[in-house]
Amino acid sequence: MQPLARYLPILEWGRAYDRRMAGADLLAAVIVTIMLIPQSLAYALLAGLPPEMGLYASILPLVAYAIFGTSRTLAVGPVAVVSLMTAAAIGTLGLDDPAQIALAAGALALMSGLILTAMGVLRLGALANFLSHPVIAGFITASGILIAASQLKHILGIEAHGHTLVMLVGSLGAHLGGINLPTVVLGISALAFLFWVRRGLKPLLRRLGLSPRAADIVTKAGPVLAVAATTLVTWALSLQDAGVRIVGTVPTGLPPMGIPSLDPSLWGQLFLSALLISIIGFVESVSVAQTLAAKRRQRIRPDQELIGLGSANIAASVSGGFPVTGGFARSVVNFDAGAETPAAGAFTAIGILVAALALTPLLYFLPQATLAATIIVAVLGLVDLSILRRAWGYSRVDFAAVAGTIVLTLAFGVEVGVSAGVLLSIALHLYKTSRPHIAEEGLVPGTQHFRNIHRHDVETMPQIVTLRIDESLYFANARFLEDYILDRVTRDPALRHVVLHCAAVNEIDMSALETLEELNRRLRDMGLVLHLSEVKGPVMDRLKRTDFLDDLTGEVFLAQYDAWRTLKRSIAVAADHGDRAAE
């Protein structure tokens, strides 16, 4: 791969671009555009921003990702979780002026873009691995619940505030007396229709004779149908005069180009939020991209994906948008619609641009309840409480991670939830690796294989104990290993040899090395010999740079069977010498 093509993937797929690919990308773009218009408006509403910012965030970012991204089918734009995090971040600033709020959203997108780009240039994509899957699953589930709860005020036509579930429920309860009946009717109708579209429209269209592709396109247009119908009803019946809240005037024209706020104090207040949005957005995006790429035997490059997402967020920041990332639902639609290359995203951007230039006057009477219904239906697919049951059945530690993240996110908000999730992931890793599994092994009769004496019928010798350590050795588990071994040998006076089977040890840090040196000395004072077996090459290379091997009382065996055979022979020879001496 040429150096320039590494950072500009468009040069790689662009060389082979042809008319067939263009046709497939155009068709996919039409379908995604139909889906993305109401979604963009809805997610801007969720982020607490003017609806047109959702459209602006779906134009230049898609073009930027098409140039710098590596996924052929990932669709970038506003998504539910990132929009919720944007709302939470801006909500802490206490701003009332819509212009200042928009500037803060742009600054958040710029900071997120710079963070992602820097991580990509430094090849730090692996940092996302600090968020374990149970924590991510718990966070997304809790976020889905929070998002749905936050939109109930629009369905009911009342005021409600709060960034935690307790605050939202309390605020909703306090304002229930102000429910607006026309809004409820519109909101519930839109919800019912959208749920039916998801499950029942496509089978109905197929029974009516539509082709699978046509039925799929009409089904994906369900939110647009809901928008059109409720907008017409509101306009025809003048429901805005009856208290139904509408979108109102949406500016027509090109996205406003400009640099967002560079105020140092604002950046300081938003930095942690930008960092968390960057990490969550990247994890969500790259997991979707990898899943879809695998279905076509394609690859993505996570570090370049950081640059692609970073450039998309920088583009959003200078074009009146807010933080964006790869969305699951629209990416799946893009994939199913047959998108061949990232050019489908650029074509989608053109479609959104046309909407921003020509269609926004039609949105004046669009009820906010319809957008809220669109959000609720979209995010309830994120809620997966069955993860709690599966985690409980598989691992109590993972269950604690899922449950803890869900509870913390619901109780204290998304930023506390994801921050706690990161810390919880690291803490759980330290906990699990600080108490590694150690198996006492014996020889399987008739073979050269060694297995756990508590699981298999194996051959053992009272003078030898073989311990297999199923974890790398480092500062957090070194003392545990020392205590385990000393406890084991002090209970058995017949022991003469201790063999550490190191096949699963990939790393020994300085703390663990010092522990092994101390263990070697203490075992020597107890009349025991310490041996190692099956030490991996990189670990052995580092041990050779120390005095440990020179001071080791025993040997380092290439294979565990060599250790068993050699020590068994030496014990037999010693026993024979002892018998002769006794004679």
Side-chain angles (χ1 to χ4, degrees):
M1 183 183 297
Q2 297 178 353
L4 188 59
R6 179 179 185 86
Y7 293 101
L8 291 172
I10 190 174
L11 298 179
E12 183 181 350
W13 58 263
R15 286 194 296 266
Y17 202 67
D18 55 26
R19 184 175 298 178
R20 181 193 63 80
M21 291 180 176
D25 287 343
L26 277 169
L27 177 60
V30 170
I31 297 173
V32 175
T33 300
I34 292 171
M35 175 185 184
L36 192 54
I37 290 173
Q39 269 198 359
S40 299
L41 299 169
Y43 290 146
L45 178 71
L46 174 60
L49 302 169
E52 65 271 15
M53 290 187 68
L55 296 176
Y56 300 156
S58 303
I59 301 176
L60 279 189
L62 279 71
V63 177
Y65 182 82
I67 296 172
F68 295 99
T70 63
S71 172
R72 299 294 181 95
T73 53
L74 187 72
V76 172
V79 300
V81 173
V82 170
S83 297
L84 178 65
M85 296 179 72
T86 299
I90 296 176
T92 62
L93 302 177
L95 300 176
D96 296 320
D97 183 1
Q100 292 298 317
I101 292 174
L103 284 174
L108 195 59
L110 179 57
M111 293 173 66
S112 178
L114 293 175
I115 291 170
L116 288 165
T117 303
M119 290 175 65
V121 171
L122 297 174
R123 300 187 180 184
L124 299 179
L127 289 178
N129 296 333
F130 283 107
L131 277 173
S132 68
H133 179 264
V135 165
I136 286 290
F139 174 72
I140 291 178
T141 291
S143 296
I145 295 172
L146 272 179
I147 291 168
S150 71
Q151 297 308 297
L152 289 178
K153 63 182 180 182
H154 298 297
I155 299 292
L156 301 175
I158 60 177
E159 291 288 340
H161 304 282
H163 62 278
T164 71
L165 187 62
V166 174
M167 294 170 64
L168 282 170
V169 171
S171 184
L172 286 169
H175 293 88
L176 279 179
I179 286 178
N180 181 268
L181 187 57
T183 301
V184 172
V185 172
L186 280 175
I188 297 298
S189 299
L191 275 174
F193 174 74
L194 291 172
F195 277 121
W196 174 77
V197 163
R198 282 204 160 194
R199 296 181 178 273
L201 181 57
K202 188 173 182 178
L204 174 62
L205 294 174
R206 293 289 291 121
R207 288 195 297 270
L208 293 176
L210 263 69
S211 66
R213 174 59 64 88
D216 194 53
I217 293 174
V218 175
T219 300
K220 296 299 186 298
V224 175
L225 298 176
V227 165
T230 54
T231 300
L232 283 172
V233 168
T234 303
W235 168 73
L237 301 179
S238 299
L239 294 180
Q240 72 278 10
D241 296 333
V244 173
R245 295 174 184 171
I246 58 175
V247 168
T249 302
V250 178
T252 299
L254 296 171
M257 303 299 293
I259 303 298
S261 174
L262 302 178
D263 181 7
S265 64
L266 177 65
W267 280 49
Q269 290 176 282
L270 292 177
F271 177 76
L272 178 59
S273 298
L275 178 63
L276 296 176
I277 287 172
S278 301
I279 294 173
I280 291 296
F282 173 64
V283 170
E284 181 178 354
S285 179
V286 80
S287 62
V288 174
Q290 286 175 333
T291 300
L292 296 180
K295 292 183 178 182
R296 292 185 180 173
R297 296 191 177 183
Q298 297 171 346
R299 291 181 66 249
I300 67 164
R301 302 198 306 273
D303 289 329
Q304 183 60 32
E305 280 297 289
L306 283 165
I307 295 175
L309 292 173
S311 64
N313 276 280
I314 293 172
S317 72
V318 299
S319 59
F322 58 98
V324 298
T325 192
F328 176 77
R330 72 175 68 102
S331 296
V332 171
V333 170
N334 198 36
F335 179 90
D336 290 341
E340 292 279 348
T341 72
F347 294 146
T348 300
I350 295 174
I352 301 296
L353 180 60
V354 171
L357 290 173
L359 301 181
T360 52
L362 302 178
L363 301 174
Y364 183 89
F365 290 100
L366 172 60
Q368 293 185 8
T370 303
L371 295 179
T374 302
I375 293 172
I376 291 172
V377 172
V379 301
L380 286 183
L382 302 176
V383 177
D384 179 21
L385 293 176
S386 67
I387 187 68
L388 290 169
R389 174 181 53 80
R390 297 198 304 274
W392 178 263
Y394 183 74
S395 167
R396 299 295 191 269
V397 172
D398 286 336
F399 172 81
V402 176
T405 304
I406 290 175
V407 170
L408 288 170
T409 303
L410 293 178
F412 299 102
V414 289
E415 291 195 356
V416 172
V418 71
S419 301
V422 174
L423 296 176
L424 199 55
S425 295
I426 297 172
L428 288 173
H429 171 74
L430 291 175
Y431 173 77
K432 287 188 285 189
T433 57
S434 69
R435 303 177 61 84
H437 178 257
I438 300 177
E440 185 170 338
E441 295 181 316
L443 178 66
V444 178
T447 74
Q448 296 183 12
H449 300 293
F450 289 79
R451 293 293 183 268
N452 194 322
I453 65 173
H454 300 297
R455 295 177 179 269
H456 303 272
D457 293 327
V458 293
E459 178 184 343
T460 62
M461 292 188 65
Q463 300 92 339
I464 304 173
V465 61
T466 296
L467 301 174
R468 188 188 72 233
I469 309 161
D470 293 335
E471 187 63 67
S472 292
L473 301 179
Y474 71 119
F475 64 91
N477 61 25
R479 181 56 60 87
F480 175 84
L481 173 67
E482 181 182 15
D483 292 343
Y484 183 97
I485 293 174
L486 293 177
D487 179 67
R488 172 64 182 85
V489 300
T490 53
R491 290 186 284 105
D492 195 343
L495 279 179
R496 293 295 177 265
H497 300 274
V498 177
V499 183
L500 298 186
H501 187 181
C502 300
V505 177
N506 298 316
E507 175 79 17
I508 297 177
D509 75 355
M510 280 292 295
S511 297
L513 175 63
E514 292 175 359
T515 297
L516 289 176
E517 291 172 340
E518 178 63 23
L519 183 63
N520 182 56
R521 287 192 291 269
R522 295 187 67 174
L523 291 177
R524 180 186 58 202
D525 294 342
M526 298 168 67
L528 298 172
V529 182
L530 176 65
H531 308 271
L532 306 180
S533 74
E534 300 190 16
V535 180
K536 293 185 175 180
V539 177
M540 194 65 179
D541 291 341
R542 297 181 69 177
L543 291 179
K544 286 179 179 178
R545 297 200 292 266
T546 71
D547 297 328
F548 174 71
L549 297 179
D550 296 331
D551 298 333
L552 185 66
T553 54
E555 300 180 47
V556 179
F557 295 97
L558 182 64
Q560 177 58 32
Y561 184 72
D562 294 340
W564 175 265
R565 184 176 56 185
T566 301
L567 296 178
K568 184 177 181 181
R569 187 186 304 120
S570 69
I571 290 170
V573 170
D576 183 57
H577 288 165
D579 292 341
R580 290 181 182 180
E583 293 176 359

